[in-house]
Structures are given as structure tokens and as C-alpha cells.
Amino acid sequence: VRAGQFIIDIYWPPSPCAGLDRKKCLMEKDKCVYSNKKKEKERTCFEKNAKFSHDCSKYLTKKTCEATYCYYVKNLGCSHKCETTKIKTCKNAKKGSSTVKICKYGKKPNPCFDICCDI
């Protein structure tokens, strides 16, 4: 046991589904899910790259919110530009005033493709 391993195991217990093969994963229906689909079923708006992911809820004012990957709505507060249902808004979302497009509309890659994941 490494130094601090006990603390890590208390706060982040190991996943019950990690390392299970397909058959064992399918037997654990109440805890685990296995998928052989490369992409999710629904088309949604999502970040093109992990570096565009951002927690916009921490911004309280319009000025600080719009300086990043976020937009401000008066009664709702600050939200990520990729959290939209409109296709055109999603495809045209950019970082601040730059020309870099940060969102993509389509079928999102499945994080549980050919592996066993927690529910």
C-alpha cells in the first residue's frame, strides 16, 4: 500500500465495473452498462475538444461570463455556449470574440464503447 492509498480509497472507491469483460458486465445489470455502439443515439450539441469544456455556473456577472466559453441570460445566469438545442447557434458558437469554433452538433462519442461502465 502506497502512502495515502487508504485516503484515496475512502474518497474514490474503485469502480465495481472496472476491468469486467463483456459477459460479466452484462450480468451486473443493476450496477454496470456495456455498449458496442461507437456513438450515442441522439444528436446533441457538445464541445469539439476537451479543452473547451468549462464550468460556467461559477460566474455571476455578465462581464466575467462572456469572456470565456459562456453566455449570459438575465434570469438564468451563465451557461456554456454548447448547452443549446438550436443547431445554428451550436455550430456558430465561438470562444469570446475569436474565430475558433468550440461546439459541434451531431452524435456524441460513446464513453462506454467496448468497456464496462458504472451506471
Side-chain angles (χ1 to χ4, degrees), residues 12-73:
W12 296 283
S15 168
C17 304
L20 294 179
D21 65 352
R22 183 178 177 269
K23 286 183 181 179
K24 289 180 182 175
C25 185
L26 293 173
M27 290 159 97
E28 299 285 337
K29 289 185 179 181
D30 56 329
K31 299 179 203 169
C32 309
V33 65
Y34 182 89
S35 177
N36 58 2
K37 307 282 186 211
K38 284 188 178 183
K39 299 195 176 199
E40 293 181 354
K41 292 179 183 178
E42 307 89 32
R43 292 181 183 267
T44 56
C45 187
F46 59 96
E47 297 91 6
K48 279 186 172 183
N49 197 332
K51 69 179 180 180
F52 298 137
S53 181
H54 194 71
D55 180 22
C56 298
S57 62
K58 64 183 178 183
Y59 299 117
L60 301 175
T61 64
K62 184 176 181 177
K63 188 175 183 180
T64 57
C65 176
E66 292 180 346
T68 58
Y69 306 112
C70 312
Y71 69 96
Y72 189 81
V73 178

Side-chain angles (χ1 to χ4, degrees), residues 51-52 69 92-103:
K51 69 179 180 180
F52 298 137
Y69 306 112
N92 293 332
K94 295 177 179 147
K95 179 187 176 187
S97 60
S98 70
T99 59
V100 178
K101 292 188 178 185
I102 61 170
C103 302

